Amino acid sequence: SRDVATNALDIDKSNVKALYRRAAAHRKLGDVDKARNDLKEALKIEPNNRDVKRELISLKAELDAFKKKERDSFGKAFKNASIRGLYNDKEEATEKKKKKQAQKKKDDEAALQKRKTKWEDECVHRMSLDEPLPAISYEDWDTAEKKREEERETERKKVKKAQDDQRRLEKERLRKEAKRDSDNDNDDDDSDEEIMKELQKQNLRGYKKTSDGKTTSYFNHEQTAEGKALIGDITPKRLESGSGGDCNSTVRSSAAESAWNTAGTWEERDTTEWCTEALRKRLLSTKVTTSPGADGAASVGYTGSIKEVKDLSGDASFATASGKKKYIFDFHTELSFQISVPDADFG
């Protein structure tokens, strides 16, 4: 029926009945996805077809039940695996506990056998004496033996404590002697240590003592009495009108150098802004005129002039060194010019 429905759909793709029949065939064959696709296609063509709706709902319910069954089966598998893991851990812990108990039981039995052997030796010793002593039961001997063991343990601890106390007292004595010797050495070296500290203060790197006892850096210059006398009174004073000399007399002869540049070393000043504006004005005012017949030219004269300074960039400066000026400049320009002849213009 699936092939028949497919042939019918090859002829008419909008045949709802053929889509329905092929979907039913796909479902029976287990191809749920193809069945669902055919039903959805049929529902697009006839949205109110109840048979198609019923089949699609039934198919969805079947698919949901199948998915739930798969989830349940997977969940059960994981749960069983987890239970088996927990059971194995518990079983392993139980096994370890059993082994530990068995080992403890074995050790207790060995200790008991050893004590019984010791008790038997004690009984043989009693009977081998010139005046045999009465036999003793294991319980009485074990009680007496435990008491003797406790007494021996107490005595052992007492001896150990006495030895520890003796070692502690010896260490304390040696420490006090060492401290007393150290104190004596310190008393002898106190004067030397004070001298060394004072020398360290005096020779502290990067610092020095001033005449008034203050500590300051080596960069701080303290004037001597001779220096103060040579300089004289430098207290700021009020200038009265007419009391000063000619201010121009203090101006350097070379105006190109700064007042601080008394040694006449290299000094450079930027004049880019002024030079750019001055060059722009000069270019716009530039005009060249040729005389008639000059250099083989025609019988008329030509006049060339700058119409526009489109671009002017660069820098300029002047430098002074040893009282000499050096002018440094570098400019680039783009110009629009005009050449004129009588009754004609060329640009």
Side-chain angles (χ1 to χ4, degrees), residues 280-332:
R280 185 186 301 276
K281 292 179 180 179
R282 287 295 185 94
L283 289 172
L284 292 174
S285 62
T286 299
K287 182 179 294 187
V288 178
T289 303
T290 61
S291 301
D295 297 330
S299 58
V300 294
Y302 297 92
T303 301
S305 61
I306 306 297
K307 290 180 60 179
E308 180 184 2
V309 180
K310 294 184 176 181
D311 181 48
L312 180 60
S313 61
D315 52 68
S317 63
F318 75 89
T320 57
S322 302
K324 296 180 180 180
K325 292 183 180 180
K326 296 181 180 181
Y327 298 95
I328 306 168
F329 57 90
D330 182 17
F331 283 97
H332 301 274

Side-chain angles (χ1 to χ4, degrees), residues 20-40:
Y20 178 81
R21 294 293 185 186
R22 192 169 70 172
H26 281 317
R27 182 177 179 182
K28 288 181 180 180
L29 293 173
D31 198 342
V32 179
D33 292 334
K34 289 183 178 180
R36 183 173 54 188
N37 292 336
D38 285 342
L39 291 173
K40 286 183 177 181

Side-chain angles (χ1 to χ4, degrees), residues 171-234:
K171 287 183 179 179
E172 184 68 19
R173 183 183 65 80
L174 294 175
R175 187 184 66 79
K176 288 181 178 179
E177 289 181 358
K179 186 176 184 302
R180 184 169 58 253
D181 295 340
S182 177
D183 292 341
N184 292 335
D185 293 341
N186 290 337
D187 292 340
D188 295 338
D189 296 338
D190 276 347
S191 59
D192 294 340
E193 185 176 355
E194 291 177 358
I195 293 173
M196 291 299 297
K197 286 183 177 179
E198 184 63 27
L199 288 175
Q200 288 177 357
K201 288 181 179 179
Q202 293 177 1
N203 297 323
L204 190 61
R205 181 174 297 179
Y207 295 89
K208 65 180 180 180
K209 291 285 187 179
T210 58
S211 58
D212 56 357
K214 294 181 180 180
T215 301
T216 183
S217 74
Y218 275 112
F219 295 104
N220 185 25
H221 176 67
E222 184 180 12
Q223 291 182 345
T224 61
E226 293 80 1
K228 292 179 179 179
L230 181 62
I231 294 174
D233 187 9
I234 59 173

Side-chain angles (χ1 to χ4, degrees), residues 75-91:
K76 186 180 292 185
F78 285 120
K79 183 178 180 180
N80 292 337
S82 177
I83 291 173
R84 284 196 300 271
L86 293 174
Y87 176 75
N88 291 337
D89 293 342
K90 186 176 180 181
E91 190 176 27

